[in-house]
Amino acid sequence: MDANMNPTMLLLTILFLSVMGFVMGKRRSYAVANDAGGVSGLHSRPTYYGSLTALWCAIPALIIFSFWLLFESSIITNLVISSLPDQLQNLPADRLNLIVTDIKNIVNGNIVSADPNPSLVAAAEHYKKLNSLSHASLTVIVITIAIASILVIQRTINPKLRARNHVERVVKYILIACSTIAIFTTIGIVLSVLYEAIRFFKIIPLSGFLTGLEWSPQMAIRADQVGSSGSFGAVPVFVGTMLISAIAMCVAVPIGLMSAIYLSEYANRTFRSIAKPLLEILAGIPTVVYGFFAALTVAPMIRDLGGFFWLDVSSESALAAGLVMGIMIIPFVSSLSDDVINAVPQSLRDGAYALGATKSETIRHVVIPAALPGIVGSVLLAVSRAIGETMIVVMAAGLAANLTINPLKTVTTVTVQIVTLLVGDQEFDSPKTLAAFALGLMLFIVTLILNVIALVVVRKYREQYE
Amino acid sequence: MSETNIDIVNKGLGKRYRAEKRFRIYGVCAIAASLIFLAFLFISISSTGYTAFQQTFIRLSVYFDPEILGDTTNREGLASANFPAIVKQSLFKMFPEVQSRGEKKQLASLISSGASYYIRDMLIENPDFVGETIQVWLPADDDVDMLIKGHSDRGLVEAERRLNDRQIDWIQQLEKDGSIEKRFNKIFFTVGDSREPELAGIWGAASGSFFTMVITLLLSFPIGVAAAIYLEEFAKKNRWTDIIEVNINNLAAVPSIVFGLLGLAVFLNFFGMPRSAPLVGGLVMTLMTLPVIIIASRASLKSVPPSIREAALGVGASQMQMVFHHVLPLALPGMLTGAIIGMARALGETAPLLMIGMVAFIVDVPSGFTDPATALPVQIYLWADSPEKGFLEKTSAAIMVLLTFLIAMNALAVILRKKFEKRW
């Protein structure tokens, strides 16, 4: 617990030091200004001298601080492992991981399953010692650097120092760094998913994954265990995903499009100002709520309704998940289509009215065709949302990978499989766990393609009327 | 007499007007369908959930028997004292006719298994209760709770009920005495998760959500605003900024579960950060909310008229001073609105948290950023999976709490927008 509090305290200390640096830098600038004939003799306003000191106090300290914390735990773990007795070190990777978990549990004072092995207790002591050593040295280094930078900057402050330009340049680099985080996130996603997926495809060939008709990822973790060997043909999973997305789009596109048309072409201001936010509430409801609703209310309702017509409806039918997902997507379709319909120039409508068309004829024959590219773009975005939606299908759709397009049967989706494969115990060598990353890669690629197409289409369309 | 054009038009007019009317009705139906569904969702959840805000309690005269308790003056004594026996004893005293072992067991099961902890806490607070008899309201078992709230049917055949005839007789006797009543469910708002529905609360999950949101807000708002300022005010239009823009737009549409995979592979496996910690949850949520905040902040910066910038530059401000002294203050309300909406979305997000292990069964309320925790939506998911009937109303109630937070946040965003929105 103490060790956990340390970084937070240290962070606060750094912030405090940098505030001190600000005050000291400002004071110092006033002091040198007196010799140079008042504040107007300085190159920059005194605040900039303060900011300069504060920035140079905080930035190096913070960089060291964050890198230290990022790598600390893996380095210490490796050190502890290398100090373990040889017979423990030579264990296979998964057993070694268990031992490391045990050591960490001992460190945190949690109960360990078996009687702790003396060498484990020793390792835990070692771990604790390294941990506190690391924290102590971090504290010393960071505070030294912070104070040293304050002192160095203090000395360099003189009336000719171009503090404003200096500060502005640093701030600009910070702004640039912040804007590149989006790129690093994308790279991070691609690398992390790709890396594990490639490991998966080394075990299961890509062609088998993309064309296999049987999906049963439960495989024996240990060689002596009884169990299926697992088969990783992802076609049933893809078909299930497409089936549920298709049902969702059948609900969302007509309702969303008609709502958008009504709101933008027919509704008066008052109705619009009430109905639009209400529709957007649908988009704001967390998906876990929809999932609960689908599993608890909609699925039994559909099953009972099916029973009424002598139909055999599964209690985790694709229909229930798809229907609820469709309702969730309505506001996406409607608000995006609303925008594109509003962007159609009024002159087109006026032209149609002048030829004697009724309002609905104008909409059907002029407005919609003109807005079609934008509408297609918004539908594509909605499809990508449907494919990537997780909680509704996790809670309302099934786990069994049936290769069927019957909406009354149970199907499974890519996201459901990712969640079931990764929640709970993980073995990072087993294809079972890696399969989740392969599915994640597929998901990422497909949604990326859909998004890019949609964005390009929408952008082209906008330019057409601007 | 031949038909003129106008006659042909007039003939078709009725049909065309009817088509017009139909089209209009389709539109109204579409909106009505979504609104009806919305109402249905809210009604269905609040009608199952509102009962969870009350809980059934049973009044017992608890005799703090020094013989059963033993020495309770020190910690070890308190830890080893047999509090369940105290609860049972006082229950048996109310029904002296119950003698057989089996019946005693059935009777004892009317009171929640967590009741003894309340007795213990009472004793810790008031050590001089030993040897005295005190009237205490203790939580009833969830089966009793369900029966009193009318969620289980008393008219069923005995074999299909969770409680047998004897137990229902006892409950009726307690009802007659006024020793059983529904009270405000404080437990629900003050404790963490539990396997027993009557002892489960959302405070642990709410704290986990709070810590996650603190990290998300502290990281995503400054970074998002800084990125937006760079892209909108400083960046030249070139390949590099194009790449950044395409990236941001794409990230906004990447499925949330993919961010969870990123968190699992990078933060947990590569950097070795702790599992189930709000810190990691906050980092993943930051990456997820960043695009939302950047896009909103850019729109907000765009809406500040160029005349403000030119005026500032005209009186000799540097570009940085122009942005930070003049444009940013004017754009800040819009940025805040975007941030609140982004945070609301992050608060309701579940899937990425499942990937980084914030889905474990955690009883303790987290007290820091690295303690194992869950979040409110994950708690909803966990409870929705539980087979016990008592968790059904808890799930709905937790949803009501979550939705209240979300509605409050969105309302705040709307108010901010209304109050500070400027038309230039």
Side-chain angles (χ1 to χ4, degrees):
Chain A
M1 201 57 233
D2 293 337
N4 288 341
M5 274 307 292
N6 257 340
T8 322
M9 286 303 295
L10 193 54
L11 200 62
L12 291 178
T13 317
I14 296 174
L15 291 184
F16 173 75
L17 279 177
S18 95
V19 171
M20 285 256 303
F22 180 82
V23 175
M24 283 167 70
K26 203 167 164 182
R27 280 230 185 109
R28 175 80 187 146
S29 73
Y30 278 117
V32 296
N34 279 338
D35 308 332
V39 177
S40 58
L42 291 172
H43 170 271
S44 313
R45 312 260 320 140
T47 325
Y48 282 101
Y49 294 96
S51 313
L52 184 69
T53 325
L55 278 177
W56 279 116
C57 162
I59 291 171
L62 282 181
I63 289 175
I64 293 179
F65 175 79
S66 34
F67 273 87
W68 196 290
L69 287 188
L70 275 182
F71 291 103
E72 180 188 52
S73 105
S74 37
I75 291 176
I76 291 184
T77 310
N78 281 336
L79 283 177
V80 169
I81 289 176
S82 64
S83 74
L84 280 175
D86 280 340
Q87 86 260 23
L88 284 180
Q89 264 191 66
N90 294 332
L91 286 172
D94 50 333
R95 292 268 298 144
L96 202 60
N97 278 338
L98 279 180
I99 285 177
V100 171
T101 321
D102 275 355
I103 294 174
K104 282 186 184 162
N105 278 335
I106 298 176
V107 171
N108 294 333
N110 294 343
I111 309 136
V112 186
S113 47
D115 275 332
N117 185 326
S119 60
L120 287 194
V121 176
E125 281 304 313
H126 190 49
Y127 188 98
K128 256 189 215 166
K129 216 180 277 168
L130 283 176
N131 215 2
S132 57
L133 182 71
S134 154
H135 277 305
S137 39
L138 173 64
T139 313
V140 171
I141 292 174
V142 162
I143 290 179
T144 322
I145 286 180
I147 292 174
S149 357
I150 292 180
L151 295 179
V152 169
I153 300 285
Q154 286 283 318
R155 295 193 140 225
T156 54
I157 288 178
N158 67 59
K160 291 233 169 62
L161 181 69
R162 296 157 66 87
R164 181 177 60 76
N165 308 45
H166 198 131
V167 168
E168 287 184 353
R169 209 162 46 239
V170 174
V171 169
K172 193 165 171 181
Y173 284 125
I174 295 177
L175 294 185
I176 293 178
C178 288
S179 70
T180 53
I181 287 187
I183 294 184
F184 285 118
T185 312
T186 312
I187 295 175
I189 290 176
V190 172
L191 286 187
S192 59
V193 177
L194 200 62
Y195 175 70
E196 310 284 0
I198 286 174
R199 281 174 63 192
F200 173 75
F201 290 130
K202 271 184 195 152
I203 309 171
I204 311 286
L206 179 64
S207 56
F209 177 72
L210 288 180
T211 56
L213 297 182
E214 200 189 332
W215 178 266
S216 62
Q218 296 308 329
M219 58 188 296
I221 289 175
R222 288 198 316 274
D224 55 332
Q225 243 171 354
V226 195
S228 55
S229 59
S231 54
F232 294 91
V235 172
V237 183
F238 295 147
V239 171
T241 311
M242 280 189 269
L243 175 64
I244 289 185
S245 306
I247 297 170
M249 296 323 287
C250 287
V251 176
V253 172
I255 295 186
L257 202 54
M258 279 315 289
S259 314
I261 289 170
Y262 189 84
L263 283 178
S264 61
E265 300 285 327
Y266 287 105
N268 57 20
R269 264 186 96 103
T270 355
F271 184 76
R272 199 180 146 87
S273 68
I274 297 170
K276 219 177 163 195
L278 278 179
L279 272 186
E280 266 153 27
I281 290 182
L282 279 177
I285 293 175
T287 53
V288 68
V289 177
Y290 282 111
F292 177 67
F293 183 71
L296 185 85
T297 314
V298 179
M301 219 154 75
I302 289 178
R303 198 188 49 213
D304 295 346
L305 208 66
F308 189 71
F309 291 109
W310 305 100
L311 286 171
D312 178 28
V313 183
S314 149
S315 62
E316 291 177 326
S317 61
L319 192 59
L323 272 180
V324 174
M325 192 193 281
I327 287 157
M328 184 201 86
I329 293 174
I330 290 174
F332 289 98
V333 179
S334 80
S335 73
L336 287 168
S337 319
D338 198 17
D339 289 347
V340 291
I341 289 172
N342 278 331
V344 172
Q346 186 61 28
S347 57
L348 291 183
R349 294 188 187 87
D350 293 344
Y353 294 148
L355 291 172
T358 64
K359 213 162 185 179
S360 67
E361 284 162 352
T362 311
I363 294 167
R364 273 182 296 163
H365 300 303
V366 177
V367 177
I368 300 280
L372 199 59
I375 292 172
V376 169
S378 69
V379 169
L380 285 182
L381 279 181
V383 172
S384 109
R385 184 146 296 249
I387 292 175
E389 170 46 43
T390 310
M391 292 320 291
I392 294 178
V393 280
V394 166
M395 294 168 85
L399 289 174
N402 295 323
L403 183 56
T404 173
I405 50 165
N406 179 356
L408 304 179
K409 284 257 164 18
T410 303
V411 294
T412 190
T413 73
V414 173
T415 46
V416 173
Q417 288 305 318
I418 295 177
V419 169
T420 32
L421 292 176
L422 285 184
V423 170
D425 292 334
Q426 295 158 7
E427 296 273 335
F428 265 84
D429 306 321
S430 130
K432 183 186 155 201
T433 311
L434 296 176
F437 284 90
L439 288 174
L441 181 69
M442 293 296 143
L443 185 64
F444 182 69
I445 291 174
V446 170
T447 50
L448 188 73
I449 292 171
L450 283 174
N451 294 337
V452 169
I453 295 175
L455 287 175
V456 168
V457 168
V458 170
R459 189 185 280 182
K460 276 261 165 64
Y461 160 79
R462 284 229 176 96
E463 279 161 5
Q464 198 183 334
Y465 291 118
E466 262 166 14
Chain B
M1 197 104 169
S2 68
E3 261 188 336
T4 56
N5 282 346
I6 193 72
D7 289 331
I8 300 173
V9 170
N10 281 338
K11 220 193 252 168
L13 217 49
K15 205 173 149 197
R16 285 169 62 202
Y17 283 158
R18 278 197 297 279
E20 166 76 29
K21 220 177 212 165
R22 270 203 307 277
F23 193 73
R24 240 187 126 124
I25 289 172
Y26 293 151
V28 175
C29 286
I31 293 175
S34 352
L35 296 187
I36 286 171
F37 176 82
L38 185 69
F40 184 45
L41 181 105
F42 273 104
I43 290 169
S44 124
I45 283 176
S46 39
S47 65
T48 44
Y50 80 98
T51 47
F53 296 117
Q54 285 204 318
Q55 172 127 338
T56 310
F57 282 76
I58 294 176
R59 184 174 58 194
L60 286 184
S61 323
V62 175
Y63 173 54
F64 287 90
D65 193 339
E67 276 172 35
I68 297 180
L69 287 174
D71 179 24
T72 53
T73 48
N74 54 25
R75 281 187 68 169
E76 289 87 53
L78 270 172
S80 62
N82 192 355
F83 289 103
I86 297 270
V87 176
K88 275 182 200 157
Q89 198 191 37
S90 30
L91 197 59
F92 298 150
K93 226 185 286 163
M94 283 182 90
F95 298 95
E97 73 276 10
V98 177
Q99 288 302 335
S100 78
R101 241 181 108 88
E103 282 197 323
K104 274 187 165 175
K105 209 172 166 192
Q106 287 169 7
L107 180 58
S109 72
L110 293 183
I111 293 265
S112 163
S113 58
S116 49
Y117 299 114
Y118 290 87
I119 302 286
R120 190 190 63 190
D121 291 347
M122 268 179 75
L123 192 68
I124 291 173
E125 240 170 73
N126 309 289
D128 46 331
F129 275 0
V130 178
E132 283 182 47
T133 306
I134 315 275
Q135 296 271 330
V136 192
W137 287 93
L138 290 172
D141 190 65
D142 59 313
D143 291 331
V144 180
D145 193 39
M146 289 293 105
L147 188 85
I148 296 289
K149 284 173 181 166
H151 290 315
S152 3
D153 192 358
R154 290 188 199 205
L156 283 175
V157 200
E158 190 173 3
E160 288 177 20
R161 272 189 263 121
R162 301 270 301 175
L163 297 169
N164 60 26
D165 287 345
R166 286 296 324 251
Q167 286 171 312
I168 288 186
D169 279 348
W170 291 324
I171 293 171
Q172 271 161 355
Q173 216 168 316
L174 284 169
E175 275 176 324
K176 222 181 284 159
D177 301 347
S179 296
I180 193 162
E181 72 175 32
K182 284 188 283 181
R183 308 176 133 209
F184 176 68
N185 190 354
K186 214 175 93 187
I187 300 169
F188 184 67
F189 292 102
T190 49
V191 300
D193 199 4
S194 168
R195 295 278 185 221
E196 304 292 327
E198 74 274 12
L199 299 175
I202 53 165
W203 185 242
S207 320
S209 271
F210 172 76
F211 287 122
T212 312
M213 287 300 112
V214 167
I215 298 266
T216 311
L217 185 65
L218 284 184
L219 289 175
S220 66
F221 188 60
I223 295 178
V225 169
I229 288 176
Y230 176 72
L231 291 174
E232 203 55 45
E233 303 287 336
F234 293 100
K236 293 178 194 74
K237 194 94 184 110
N238 57 22
R239 242 193 130 81
W240 177 242
T241 46
D242 257 3
I243 294 178
I244 296 181
E245 253 185 74
V246 170
N247 256 305
I248 290 170
N249 284 332
N250 272 326
L251 281 182
V254 165
S256 58
I257 194 166
V258 174
F259 285 96
L261 289 177
L262 168 80
L264 173 63
V266 173
F267 295 132
L268 294 191
N269 284 351
F270 186 68
F271 288 124
M273 288 184 178
R275 275 181 83 81
S276 316
L279 174 69
V280 184
L283 287 176
V284 172
M285 290 296 180
T286 301
L287 297 182
M288 247 185 62
T289 12
L290 258 183
V292 181
I293 294 183
I294 294 177
I295 290 169
S297 303
R298 289 188 70 176
S300 174
L301 283 170
K302 250 186 214 145
S303 71
V304 176
S307 57
I308 303 263
R309 296 183 178 84
E310 282 150 19
L313 293 176
V315 296
S318 72
Q319 211 184 2
M320 201 61 81
Q321 285 169 330
M322 175 268 280
V323 170
F324 280 93
H325 297 179
H326 302 279
V327 179
L328 188 60
L330 290 171
L332 211 54
M335 294 175 168
L336 272 180
T337 316
I340 294 173
I341 289 171
M343 297 300 290
R345 195 183 290 179
L347 180 61
E349 196 57 69
T350 323
L353 299 183
L354 300 185
M355 297 288 98
I356 55 162
M358 282 182 85
V359 65
F361 171 72
I362 290 154
V363 177
D364 295 327
V365 177
S367 60
F369 294 106
T370 48
D371 288 355
T374 55
L376 263 181
V378 183
Q379 189 70 74
I380 291 168
Y381 166 65
L382 285 171
W383 282 350
D385 257 7
S386 300
E388 277 100 341
K389 212 171 177 189
F391 275 121
L392 186 66
E393 55 164 24
K394 300 276 185 238
T395 316
S396 302
I399 289 177
M400 286 162 77
V401 172
L402 180 63
L403 287 181
T404 313
F405 273 119
L406 292 181
I407 289 171
M409 286 167 88
N410 281 303
L412 183 67
V414 170
I415 290 170
L416 266 180
R417 191 183 292 158
K418 281 253 161 68
K419 187 154 185 201
F420 291 103
E421 191 178 50
K422 262 191 197 153
R423 294 241 170 235
W424 300 91

